[in-house]
Amino acid sequence: MQRSAPRPPLRFSTQTLLLQLGVVLLVVLLSAAVHSWLTYDRVGAEAENQALTLARTVASDPSVRADVLAISEQAGTPPASELSAGPLMAAAEAARARTGALFVVITDETGLRLAHPDPARLGEKVSTDPTEALAGQEVTTRNTGTLGPSAGAKVPVYAPGTETVVGEVSVGYSMETVGQSVQRDIGPVALTAAGALLAGGLASFLLRRRLQRLTLGLEPEEISTLVHDQVAVLQGVDDGVIGVSADGRISVFNAAAQRLLGQRDLAGGLWADAPVPGQLKSLTLPDAEEADAIELVAGGRVLVASARKALHRREDLGWVVMLRDRTELQQLTRQLDAVGTMSTALRAQRHEFANQLHTIAGFMSIGQHHQAREYLARLAATGPLKFPVDQAELLQDPYLQAFVGAKGVEADERGVTLRIGPETLVRSQVTEPQDVTTVLGNLIDNAVNAAVAGTSPDRWVELEVLDEPDDAGGTLHIVVADSGDGLGAGTEPEAVFAEGFTTAGSGTPASGPAVSARAGGQGLGLALARQLARRRGGDVKVLEPGSEGGPGAVFMASLPHTTAGIKPSAGEDNDA
């Protein structure tokens, strides 16, 4: 038996049309239902108010009040035959006939009927609770009694001239009458709903036509594949990608570019107004040509940027700017250098420690116990192992002490003495070692280079570090001075923080940043250090430019929120 071929699935535009028609139909039906319910509730509330007004009128009638009081004062309730022919029955039926109410019922103070449309019910207990009305309260109700569902009200009847409740009046209008009123109002609602459904269907059809034009007839699966490919290419790489269209708008600004530049997604905005470094914009000027990569500092990072023209069949599509991060590589290199320096220092100190042990063993083997004790006492006072940095114990943070000690070993190998200034005191723990290492290491390296290149025979670098405790995180203040020849004549202090600043080839020895720029060839160290500090709310600046022959330049850095910020306990000496 031959099977019929499966029916092809509906196109996306057709599915969208059907879905929109279904939504419009659902909205129209819900709106009609809500409107009908509100109308029903409104008409019911009007019936309750009408019943309350009629009940008040009957209850305030002097003759009704007097008749109810007279019956209440009697022992027992009159028989039904007497009540049906009495004045209360006549008054209640007259009010009911006049207003078209379903019922007008009068009871005594115990809730027994004194007037009722059905004479057979006279003298019986009312079917709905009269407690609130007999307690002196006016209430509106919607319930079902002996005469069917109704919307009504209950009003107390007071004795003439007093506030004593002697009975109550119940008035109700049939809910069937309320339903008939709603049916009369539902016609315009139905016409309105039909018109809305027709307009919604027409709008859905026009939207389907437009959707087909916008998607070029592509199905959702095809569009999804295109989007996935773009995301995989642009977001799946660590390099920043910025696409600038031919009309000067940013068409692509991937997540890596946002992270490297510290910006939100700028796609859709004008490239000329984008908050990015001007060096990036200069790569895409109308007269710019594809050039080699450049280095710049942005968002506290060292970036390598390059730009390429985007062409499609000789059509200019704009520029593609690529960003690569070199910050982590530089930081890792600095940390590896520090580890290597520490390792070399520890090997040398282990050899020194072994020699000291041999010396003690020699004293003990020849019986010179007194000399051995004196030697041990000297070792206990000075420590068997130490870095060539005086007063390193003022840096009580182990990480900071080890890092400065390693830098001291490096400086000592180059003939420069690294010393700790008298104002140094760090008692809290460093919580941001990466930023501290970047800033402090750059300043010390610059100062050591300046001391080596300087003309002063006494080569030294002095470091002062002071932590300022705070409950929200302490601030680390760093001051670095050297024996170099200063910044050089005619050099503005702020110029040393410009990206690419260098005095290489000038023939003038310089302190701090000049030597760093000459050694690295890029001049990005101080610019990066200042951006890192300012990003934390601090700064790096020149305190003294220095002079030829020494002393050299003095740099100061403040790094907020880089220590644990533990304040000294009460009574502790706060002097360095």
Side-chain angles (χ1 to χ4, degrees), residues 142-154:
R142 292 188 192 183
N143 48 41
T144 301
T146 58
L147 299 177
S150 63
K154 295 179 181 292

Side-chain angles (χ1 to χ4, degrees), residues 44 46-60 64 91-107 115-117 126 128 130 133 138-143 145 147-157 168-175:
E46 291 175 355
E48 291 176 357
N49 292 331
Q50 188 175 357
L52 181 62
T53 301
L54 180 57
R56 287 172 177 171
T57 302
V58 174
S60 63
V64 172
E93 285 300 299
R96 185 176 71 85
R98 185 175 64 251
T99 60
L102 178 63
F103 62 82
V104 176
V105 177
I106 303 175
T107 73
H116 191 275
V126 292
T128 57
E138 296 181 348
V139 294
T140 57
T141 60
R142 292 188 192 183
N143 48 41
L147 299 177
S150 63
K154 295 179 181 292
V155 175
V157 177
E168 58 98 10
V169 176
S170 298
V171 177
Y173 285 88
S174 174
M175 292 300 291

Side-chain angles (χ1 to χ4, degrees), residues 370-451:
H370 180 69
Q371 286 84 349
R373 283 195 297 271
E374 290 181 349
Y375 187 66
L376 286 173
R378 287 197 302 272
L379 290 180
T382 61
L385 301 175
K386 65 177 182 177
F387 289 113
V389 179
D390 293 335
Q391 296 183 319
E393 64 276 4
L394 296 177
L395 304 172
Q396 298 181 16
D397 175 71
Y399 180 88
L400 195 59
Q401 190 177 96
F403 181 75
V404 173
K407 287 299 179 183
V409 173
E410 270 188 346
D412 187 64
E413 291 178 348
R414 300 182 65 184
V416 178
T417 301
L418 176 60
R419 62 196 186 200
I420 303 296
E423 299 298 325
T424 296
L425 182 59
V426 177
R427 289 170 290 183
S428 56
Q429 182 179 1
V430 173
T431 58
E432 299 292 339
Q434 188 169 353
D435 287 356
V436 172
T437 299
T438 300
V439 176
L440 179 59
N442 184 269
L443 293 180
I444 292 178
D445 289 346
N446 290 347
V448 170
N449 291 334

